[in-house]
Structures are given as C-alpha cells and as structure tokens.
Amino acid sequence: MAELIDGKRISTELKDEVKAKVAALKEKGIEVTLAVILVGNDPASTVYVGNKKKACEYTGINSKSFELPEETTEEELLKLIDELNNDDSVNGILVQLPLPKHIDEDKVIRRISPDKDVDGFHPESVGRLSIGVRGFVSCTPAGVIELLKRSNVEMDGANAVIVGRSNIVGKPMGMLLLRENATVTICHSHTKNLKEICKAADILIIAIGQPKFIDGSFVKEGATVIDVGIHRIEGTKKLCGDVEFESAEKVAGKITPVPGGVGPMTIAGLMNNCYEAACMQKGL
C-alpha cells in the first residue's frame, strides 16, 4: 500500500513559514496585502474566496475583498484592476475565475500588473518562469513541487510524466520539474500509448479534469502519483480525483488523496506568492 502524501499537514507547514516571514516584514514596517475580486455568486468560487480570506488571516496577510454583482461590466472590472495596480498598499491582485460569460478572462488576466500577478497567469509571469527569472508561479504547480520536496521524492534525474497540458497546471508543472532536473513528458488527449508512457514514470502527475481517468494499471510499481483533479461524485457529497484511488494506491509508492492532497497546497502557494510580491516590490 502506498504512503499517503498529506497535503493538509504540508500546507500548514508552508503557511506557518509564510506567517513567520510576514511577521518579520511587519517588524520592518512592511504590510502584505492581497486584493481579491469576485464577480457574481458562483457557489464554488464563493467557497474558494472564503478559504483564501481565512488563509490570509492565518498568515497575517491583509485581505481586501471586492464582491461585485454578476452584471458588472468588463469595463468596470478593468477600471477596478487599474486602480489596484496603482495602489501601492496592495501587493497582490487575484481575480477569481471563472468570470461571467460577458467578460473576457484573457483580457482581465493581462490587465493585472505582472508585479502583482500572484496567481501567476499573466503571459509575462509565464515567460519569466520559462526562462528562469524571478516572478510568480501558478499556485497549484508550485504547491505540487513543495509536496514532492517535503515528501522526500527525488526529482533530480527522475522520469516525470504529466497528463494534461493546461496553461494553469500542465505546462507550468513541466517547466518547474525541468528546473528540478527531472526528465519531463507532457501527455494530452492526442497522446498515443498513454498507458505505456505513464507506466514508465517515476513521478506521475494527473491534471486532465476527468474523474477516475487513471487507474492502477497506468502506474509503475513504487511510483509517486500526484492527483490534481477534484470532482464531486454525482448524487453524493463525496469528492474524487482524476485517479481511481483504490487501485492506484495498491501499486504506487506514494500518492496524494482527494480531498486533502494537492488542494490545500494551492492556497499555501498563493500566500507565499503574496509574501514574495511584497518583497519584490520593496527590492528585498
């Protein structure tokens, strides 16, 4: 049976470290502030924003919340972002996605200053990551790297396979693993012989957005399996990931559960990005 990678415990460790670093900045007279914008009342988004506010409170980061009605225009949202970009007391800006259909997400992401882009979605942030320049890394991939490091998973020279090529997880995940000297393969819906490729992985990261898509037959004996997916099982309150956990757990060496694996790390990564934003803006 695989060893469980406890994302709750590791995320608390990371948040405690951020808390100590934020307190040290406060002693120098530097406050860290995150502005969170929520448009509309999507239930999942409301929960995520609530969790981010709690994490800010825990780590000593100030949070400014802007909860806008569903009918807010794109122009109004962009104007608010401009104001926050120009507000020196705000270090990080986060616009909770998805946005209502009448607002262009790409335009909104590009409007946030790259120096305040704590989600790491701006094209300039992605460019900085790809060439190894200091900047913000998408919170979920950054969280996965912390999970691997703090679970003593050797990345240097490992064969890492990522299933999923999204801009938010798959692509940045690949670049971060390259930075750790892993050999990286990114698979997607057009990949041939997916099972064979997965079975060769020392580290298998699944972020394909399909419930229980990968089972134990895709996993090499003793491999580390990281499940980024999260889905509600129809007709129940239970959650599952992109990995069929029961069969994968029997083969893997280490595995993340859903819930309690990658999820908590995303918010811990966000808190760390907020701290980094304050440091970068103050030239620290």
Side-chain angles (χ1 to χ4, degrees), residues 69-138:
E70 183 86 17
E71 57 275 11
T72 299
T73 66
E74 183 176 280
E75 195 180 329
E76 287 168 332
L77 177 56
L78 294 174
K79 183 171 178 282
L80 173 59
I81 291 168
D82 288 342
E83 287 167 8
L84 295 170
N85 280 338
N86 294 320
D87 183 345
D88 289 340
S89 72
V90 170
N91 306 104
I93 302 168
L94 184 150
V95 178
Q96 184 63 46
L97 303 178
L99 288 165
K101 288 187 170 58
H102 64 278
I103 297 175
D104 182 338
E105 281 186 6
D106 186 55
K107 198 185 279 187
V108 169
I109 288 165
R110 286 168 182 266
R111 195 63 158 254
I112 297 167
S113 163
D115 294 327
K116 297 190 178 187
D117 169 40
V118 287
D119 255 337
F121 295 164
H122 192 286
E124 191 172 314
S125 299
V126 177
R128 288 177 184 181
L129 169 63
S130 69
I131 60 171
V133 173
R134 188 181 184 188
F136 300 110
V137 178
S138 209

Side-chain angles (χ1 to χ4, degrees), residues 141 144-145 148 154-165 169-188 191 197-198 200-205:
V144 169
I145 293 291
L148 293 169
E154 184 62 61
M155 288 179 269
D156 196 319
N159 184 17
V161 173
I162 301 159
V163 184
R165 56 175 167 180
V169 180
K171 290 175 188 169
M173 192 76 253
M175 286 190 275
L176 285 175
L177 283 162
L178 282 173
R179 195 189 273 183
E180 299 296 332
N181 299 317
T183 301
V184 179
T185 304
I186 297 181
C187 302
H188 44 78
T191 299
I197 294 168
C198 290
D202 303 310
I203 300 168
L204 181 59
I205 298 173

